Amino acid sequence: MVHVYNCHPFASQQIVQVEQAPRLVCCGGGALFVVASGRCKVEAYNLERQGCPLICRFATMGTVKSISYSKIGDYLVTIEEKNNATYLQAYTNWRNQAEEKARVGVRLLGHLLGGASVRSGVQMEIIEIPLSEHPVAVACCPVTGDLLVGCENSLVLFTLKRQSPQQQNPQGLCLNMQQSQGQTSSSNHSALDFERSVIMHVPKFIPKQVALCGGYVAVQADLEVLVLKLETHSESKATDESSDTTESEDHLEDQADFLFIPKHQELLGDRAKDCDIPVSIEKTGLEDKRQYTLSYVLFRRFTPEFFHGCSVEETQLHSLQLYPFFTSHQSASVDEPACLFCFFSLPAIGYLYSLKGGVELLSTYEYPEKILEAVLTDHLLHVITRSALQCFTVRCAAVAARIVDPYIDTTMKACPPSSLEVCALRMQLFIGLRSICVCGCHVVLLSTADTDTPEETERSTQRRGLSRKWTISSAKETTAVGHGWNLYVVDTVTPLTLYQEMDEYSRQYAENNPQAQSLQHILSEAHLLLRTSLLQTSEQQQKSECDPTMLLQRDTQPERNTAAQTDSEELEEALRQNCAQLGDCFSRARQKDCHLALPYYRMSGLSVTEIITRNRPLPASPHSYGLGFLFYLKHYLLEETEQSLSQETADEVLDIFSQSEPSELISVCASPSMTNISPARTLQILQRLEDTSGVLVPLTITMANMMLRLDDLPQFTQLLDRHAEMLLVYSFIQEPRLLLHAGCGAEHTLIRPTALTHQLVKSHPGLLVAGMVALHENNKIQLEQADHIFKELGCENCLQVDFWEATLMASSQEAVIHELLFRLASIYIDRLTSMTSMTSDTHSSFDHTSPKRRSLKSADDLINSCSHYGALYPWVTVLSPAYISSFQHQESLHKLQLP
């Protein structure tokens, strides 16, 4: 399903004035390359300037049948025909042909020319690339600048090299070209060259289009697409070759009276090797010491459905593309893209696959009418029909975000899924469109209004019978004297402008139906649009700095970096606004998606008070709160944060839960964010909850805590005395925040006791120690965190020792036992050897209200209930001097008997 939104992705358009009717066009590096009909000449126009003025023009060796541009190396490669022979040519330093009078050097692959003209870098070179087979298609790698040539039954890979003309040996050491190069300057004497590295033999497969990107090779026939991965190894390895590729098909040729229809197939990942297309590798690079291995990545075959009136022409594949996606999180020295996508299309449907990290079909594009060509870009998929240009959204950013950010799809961050249905934007009408190419924000369209259209040619050449092999009719070329042709340059709007238009539509949807699926979808589309821009902001700046067409503009516009920073800030602000809208959308969503309100609200940067304001129910339904909003609010209150809500906001939160989820009131009141809550008002709400739900121990403790805040100590004691000590301890295990704040796995410096804990030191020390022991044994706090709490309470030498003794009796962890035995032995010895100071320390270290309080566990209690204390030896009394007979001395001496 494809959603349709009336958002306009195009800003302006202009017509490029060229002298002759164009037949082929391509663009890249800020330039538009035009090949005129019936002429052996290429003209380059500047896309970055108004009116697209002419940059240069140069003659070709023959009639150009195909032309491609590589930004890495800034070179052009063409398939040309002359005297019924086909040639492959590469053009370097073509920008120096502004006057069309400069000298041109012609050389063979691997043979550098000498002379001052080459060393000074002012001469255009034509590199003839010999091939043993007829070249059909050509592609340049956008990552490395390597060249892939598709021939009949084979694919030839040429590695881009940089050679120095000063070397005496033209076959000297070659260095890989690793960065984009503009015209060769006088300070850089290197020149471009290619080395034939690998030949991939693909019998029974005649390519129509090829693509190359970062070691991935894609080849397309009429009805099949095959994607391979070519990997290099520095160590010598025996390359794995496929099965025999010389299998004869004579038995099929003899059955000419029968129609052989291959079945429809989609094989992903390792399963792709099960296709019936064997591929073998022939290494040809003389200087390349690496070994190559080949693996299958993707295979897709389509079959015409003749019974449904589907002809071969209607199933013919086109627009094959391997598209890399770089992110700003990558290092500038890393050439490998974060993600890689493969796109190809039928006339009625297109397919977008993600190749890295597992092959996956991301999106299926169902076109409203037959399309001729399609081009994938960062933000949009541009397609043309005979009469319109239309854009579809893409899912590249959804995949990249999950690769670069490990917190995506957690409670911290979120991103719309890559399986989100695509949408079509408003189309732009034209007449007689033929081809499309894209360079940055410029979409170049070629249109001709010939009376004999390719569609009519196809209808006239439809087969009357069925044969074993498919026969595809080729489109009629535009004549040299063609009429009604136009060359358009359509500029797309900025992502921020397109987002703002989507935002306007989303507000209209929200007014009509806040819970509509269309609202969630368009907000997700806008989110991906912004995320794409933010993921690639830094990378695009790096590319533009390397782009030879932008060097002069950078020098003449010193404010460019400031403007880029401002754009990034605007994008981030727009993303926060979009996250707030998505949070509102999911806060009212159904239970399946309501949890997404939490990460989107967090990404929005809104305060709790602002989010509560956005989610207040309408007067018609005063007690209706969305599941997503309640989910967010519960998680916020569960967080250990230093920020406390104001009394007004805290009381409103209490009202929300008393109306929607009364069972969560105990947890809400225990939250550290709710410290400013009104105790009297809270008591009324808790009392109503007790009347309806019955007497609950955690509820009683919460009510006692509110009484404590009202300074009603008798009522506080009366409420705690309702239940036995062990029941109160179990409640502390269920809700540790009754005793501690920020004690669940946080650093000990953030742990602090609650007001209830301070009161228990004075009135119920045994309950406090028992509760702390229970929290430790249930992994709610660490031993060091408990020590920090007792130091905060000012009773580290009395209740802390009681806690150690009680933990020693309860713990089964050997490490904890040994640590406590050492600590307790040190305490006992210190009390025995420092009698004078012991007395003063006892009065100061015990609780200030009862300085003479005895320990909670006597020596007899420890000996009888803990195996770590031995039996009392009779001669121990001899060690007690007659002048010392205090109870504390006797207890410490008895407890010192360790095993």
Side-chain angles (χ1 to χ4, degrees):
M1 177 181 178
V2 177
H3 296 258
V4 180
Y5 297 118
N6 196 27
C7 301
H8 207 311
F10 309 114
S12 61
Q13 68 181 45
Q14 56 180 320
I15 298 179
V16 182
Q17 302 295 330
V18 296
E19 297 178 358
Q20 299 292 326
R23 183 174 58 87
L24 293 176
V25 293
C26 78
C27 55
L32 168 63
F33 306 97
V34 179
V35 179
S37 300
R39 299 189 65 183
C40 301
K41 184 176 292 186
V42 177
E43 295 178 342
Y45 297 87
N46 191 346
L47 285 174
E48 304 300 332
R49 289 192 175 184
Q50 185 67 27
C52 298
L54 181 68
I55 300 176
C56 64
R57 61 165 59 97
F58 54 89
T60 60
M61 305 293 289
T63 303
V64 179
K65 297 297 182 181
S66 175
I67 183 170
S68 297
Y69 171 80
S70 173
K71 184 174 183 179
I72 309 298
D74 194 33
Y75 68 88
L76 285 166
V77 60
T78 62
I79 297 178
E80 302 176 12
E81 187 177 280
K82 185 177 181 181
N83 299 329
N84 296 325
T86 306
Y87 303 92
L88 185 66
Q89 314 279 0
Y91 295 81
T92 65
N93 294 335
W94 53 271
R95 296 181 189 270
N96 294 322
Q97 296 299 109
E99 301 296 332
E100 200 182 358
K101 297 179 181 179
R103 296 180 59 185
V104 177
V106 182
R107 64 181 175 91
L108 281 176
L109 177 76
H111 294 75
L112 287 178
L113 295 177
S117 61
V118 176
R119 288 195 297 271
S120 62
V122 297
Q123 177 173 304
M124 186 180 80
E125 278 192 339
I126 303 177
I127 305 174
E128 296 186 6
I129 304 177
L131 294 169
S132 59
E133 294 182 309
H134 176 72
V136 177
V138 65
C140 303
C141 178
V143 177
T144 62
D146 294 344
L147 181 63
L148 179 67
V149 183
C151 303
E152 296 178 355
N153 301 323
S154 67
L155 303 171
V156 186
L157 176 64
F158 294 89
T159 304
L160 181 64
K161 300 290 184 179
R162 183 195 300 172
Q163 290 185 344
S164 174
Q166 294 178 345
Q167 293 176 298
Q168 297 297 326
N169 181 8
Q171 298 296 336
L173 179 64
C174 299
L175 301 175
N176 282 330
M177 179 66 121
Q178 296 296 336
Q179 60 183 2
S180 179
Q181 295 293 325
Q183 57 186 14
T184 306
S185 63
S186 60
S187 61
N188 188 357
H189 296 166
S190 62
L192 298 184
D193 199 14
F194 299 90
E195 180 188 9
R196 190 195 313 263
S197 298
V198 174
I199 299 178
M200 290 163 279
H201 297 281
V202 190
K204 305 181 296 183
F205 198 96
I206 301 178
K208 298 294 183 181
Q209 281 186 291
V210 294
L212 175 67
C213 183
Y216 286 82
V217 175
V219 56
Q220 169 204 303
D222 290 330
L223 302 172
E224 297 167 320
V225 172
L226 176 63
V227 180
L228 307 167
K229 185 177 183 181
L230 189 64
E231 297 180 287
T232 59
H233 305 277
S234 57
E235 300 177 359
S236 298
K237 291 185 179 180
T239 56
D240 297 332
E241 294 191 0
S242 303
S243 58
D244 186 13
T245 61
T246 60
E247 182 181 355
S248 175
E249 288 188 334
D250 293 340
H251 63 287
L252 295 177
E253 296 289 348
D254 296 338
Q255 300 176 3
D257 294 336
F258 296 92
L259 173 64
F260 176 72
I261 302 179
K263 64 179 180 180
H264 179 89
Q265 277 186 308
E266 182 189 37
L267 303 176
L268 308 180
D270 294 336
R271 294 183 56 222
K273 66 178 180 296
D274 297 331
C275 68
D276 55 355
I277 301 178
V279 182
S280 60
I281 297 179
E282 177 187 352
K283 185 175 180 299
T284 58
L286 298 178
E287 301 175 6
D288 192 353
K289 303 302 181 182
R290 297 173 297 179
Q291 298 294 329
Y292 293 86
T293 58
L294 200 65
S295 58
Y296 290 78
V297 176
L298 167 66
F299 177 74
R300 189 75 189 259
R301 173 184 287 144
F302 299 90
T303 302
E305 298 180 359
F306 295 105
F307 297 102
H308 293 83
C310 181
S311 65
V312 177
E313 288 77 14
E314 294 173 342
T315 319
Q316 184 179 4
L317 288 163
H318 60 79
S319 303
L320 177 67
Q321 190 175 356
L322 288 178
Y323 190 77
F325 193 98
F326 293 88
T327 67
S328 58
H329 298 262
Q330 296 178 260
S331 172
S333 60
V334 177
D335 291 327
E336 185 177 359
C339 306
L340 184 63
F341 303 93
C342 178
F343 175 81
F344 52 87
S345 182
L346 297 170
I349 189 169
Y351 300 91
L352 178 63
Y353 285 86
S354 175
L355 301 183
K356 297 191 68 174
V359 185
E360 178 187 4
L361 176 61
L362 293 182
S363 304
T364 301
Y365 295 89
E366 299 178 3
Y367 311 122
E369 56 181 309
K370 178 181 177 181
I371 72 161
L372 304 179
E373 287 185 8
V375 179
L376 182 67
T377 63
D378 294 338
H379 298 91
L380 299 169
L381 173 70
H382 301 273
V383 302
I384 59 169
T385 66
R386 287 291 296 167
S387 60
L389 164 66
Q390 189 168 12
C391 294
F392 294 83
T393 54
V394 295
R395 301 287 167 261
C396 300
V399 178
R402 287 167 170 81
I403 292 178
V404 302
D405 195 340
Y407 292 101
I408 290 295
D409 300 326
T410 64
T411 59
M412 300 300 297
K413 296 181 182 180
C415 180
S418 57
S419 58
L420 184 71
E421 295 173 343
V422 299
C423 77
L425 305 182
R426 186 190 307 173
M427 65 174 56
Q428 187 90 358
L429 298 180
F430 292 90
I431 298 176
L433 290 181
R434 287 296 184 86
S435 64
I436 177 176
C437 57
V438 178
C439 178
C441 63
H442 309 290
V443 180
V444 180
L445 304 172
L446 173 61
S447 69
T448 57
D450 293 336
T451 55
D452 190 9
T453 65
E455 292 180 351
E456 294 172 348
T457 305
E458 291 177 1
R459 296 192 193 99
S460 63
T461 57
Q462 287 183 351
R463 296 186 308 278
R464 300 181 182 273
L466 297 177
S467 61
R468 190 187 66 82
K469 292 187 177 181
W470 314 121
T471 302
I472 305 298
S473 59
S474 59
K476 181 179 178 180
E477 293 185 358
T478 307
T479 61
V481 196
H483 60 281
W485 58 266
N486 278 306
L487 198 57
Y488 299 96
V489 176
V490 182
D491 292 338
T492 57
V493 299
T494 63
L496 187 60
T497 302
L498 187 56
Y499 160 77
Q500 292 170 350
E501 191 168 353
M502 288 184 172
D503 180 60
E504 292 180 4
Y505 280 102
S506 68
R507 297 181 188 279
Q508 297 177 8
Y509 286 127
E511 292 177 359
N512 297 330
N513 186 1
Q515 299 183 2
Q517 191 69 21
S518 298
L519 173 60
Q520 176 183 329
H521 187 273
I522 194 170
L523 288 175
S524 299
E525 292 287 0
H527 184 94
L528 289 177
L529 190 69
L530 294 172
R531 188 176 285 273
T532 302
S533 301
L534 289 172
L535 279 172
Q536 293 198 308
T537 297
S538 299
E539 188 269 338
Q540 288 174 349
Q541 292 175 2
Q542 294 171 5
K543 283 187 176 181
S544 62
E545 290 175 359
C546 298
D547 194 333
T549 63
M550 300 298 290
L551 293 177
L552 181 60
Q553 295 184 18
R554 183 186 62 180
D555 296 336
T556 57
Q557 297 179 5
E559 71 279 1
R560 178 179 167 197
N561 292 333
T562 304
Q565 183 178 1
T566 303
D567 292 342
S568 179
E569 293 174 354
E570 291 180 353
L571 288 171
E572 291 175 356
E573 177 60 31
L575 184 66
R576 286 191 290 268
Q577 177 186 352
N578 173 262
C579 289
Q581 293 174 313
L582 280 169
D584 295 340
C585 185
F586 287 111
S587 68
R588 298 180 290 266
R590 298 178 181 177
Q591 191 168 3
K592 178 182 177 182
D593 299 324
C594 67
H595 66 281
L596 293 174
L598 174 61
Y600 280 117
Y601 273 143
R602 280 178 168 170
M603 294 165 64
S604 70
L606 295 176
S607 65
V608 180
T609 304
E610 292 172 327
I611 294 175
I612 292 176
T613 303
R614 297 170 73 101
N615 283 273
R616 286 197 181 107
L618 299 175
S621 54
H623 303 298
S624 175
Y625 293 95
L627 295 177
F629 169 66
L630 295 176
F631 183 83
Y632 161 79
L633 208 53
K634 283 188 288 187
H635 271 264
Y636 175 82
L637 296 176
L638 284 173
E639 291 180 353
E640 302 294 341
T641 176
E642 297 293 334
Q643 297 180 355
S644 299
L645 301 177
S646 64
Q647 180 176 347
E648 181 182 359
T649 304
D651 290 343
E652 185 174 1
V653 170
L654 191 68
D655 289 337
I656 290 173
F657 281 97
S658 64
Q659 298 169 10
S660 302
E661 295 189 35
S663 60
E664 298 291 335
L665 283 176
I666 298 173
S667 178
V668 170
C669 293
S671 173
S673 302
M674 302 287 287
T675 55
N676 295 326
I677 198 172
S678 174
R681 192 166 180 273
T682 305
L683 271 174
Q684 296 177 356
I685 296 176
L686 295 178
Q687 187 62 54
R688 290 198 299 266
L689 178 62
E690 187 180 60
D691 295 339
T692 57
S693 302
V695 178
L696 303 174
V697 181
L699 180 59
T700 300
I701 298 176
T702 306
M703 295 173 65
N705 193 20
M706 294 298 111
M707 288 294 182
L708 180 62
R709 295 184 58 181
L710 292 173
D711 294 328
D712 192 346
L713 294 182
Q715 190 65 29
F716 166 80
T717 304
Q718 181 180 355
L719 287 172
L720 288 186
D721 292 342
R722 279 187 183 182
H723 308 285
E725 182 179 283
M726 288 309 300
L727 295 179
L728 297 175
V729 170
Y730 290 146
S731 299
F732 293 146
I733 297 175
Q734 296 175 13
E735 186 51 77
R737 293 182 299 173
L738 292 171
L739 293 179
L740 312 173
H741 280 168
C744 300
E747 294 291 335
H748 66 84
T749 55
L750 299 178
I751 297 176
R752 61 186 186 277
T754 63
L756 176 62
T757 305
H758 281 278
Q759 178 60 32
L760 291 180
V761 173
K762 304 173 184 178
S763 59
H764 298 76
L767 175 61
L768 175 60
V769 171
M772 295 294 291
V773 172
L775 293 180
H776 177 269
E777 292 305 304
N778 286 273
N779 298 320
K780 302 294 184 180
I781 58 171
Q782 303 294 328
L783 190 61
E784 292 76 10
Q785 294 173 334
D787 294 339
H788 178 76
I789 288 296
F790 285 110
K791 290 180 181 179
E792 286 285 325
L793 295 172
C795 52
E796 60 269 23
N797 289 329
C798 56
L799 285 183
Q800 184 178 21
V801 177
D802 293 332
F803 167 74
W804 289 346
E805 292 175 345
T807 304
L808 187 63
M809 297 172 60
S811 179
S812 60
Q813 305 177 36
E814 290 296 329
V816 174
I817 291 173
H818 288 299
E819 174 66 22
L820 292 178
L821 288 175
F822 176 77
R823 292 184 182 184
L824 289 171
S826 301
I827 290 293
Y828 299 151
I829 294 173
D830 182 69
R831 289 178 178 179
L832 289 172
T833 56
S834 305
M835 297 304 302
T836 304
S837 61
M838 180 198 68
T839 304
S840 60
D841 288 343
T842 301
H843 290 288
S844 61
S845 59
F846 287 163
D847 186 60
H848 295 287
T849 60
S850 55
K852 297 183 179 181
R853 183 185 61 80
R854 295 185 177 184
S855 299
L856 295 177
K857 298 292 182 181
S858 65
D860 293 335
D861 294 335
L862 295 175
I863 292 173
N864 295 331
S865 60
C866 184
S867 60
H868 305 295
Y869 291 88
L872 185 64
Y873 295 108
W875 50 265
V876 169
T877 55
V878 180
L879 298 178
S880 301
Y883 61 87
I884 297 178
S885 59
S886 67
F887 178 81
Q888 289 84 356
H889 177 270
Q890 295 293 334
E891 284 293 303
S892 299
L893 183 61
H894 292 173
K895 291 178 181 180
L896 188 57
Q897 294 186 106
L898 302 180

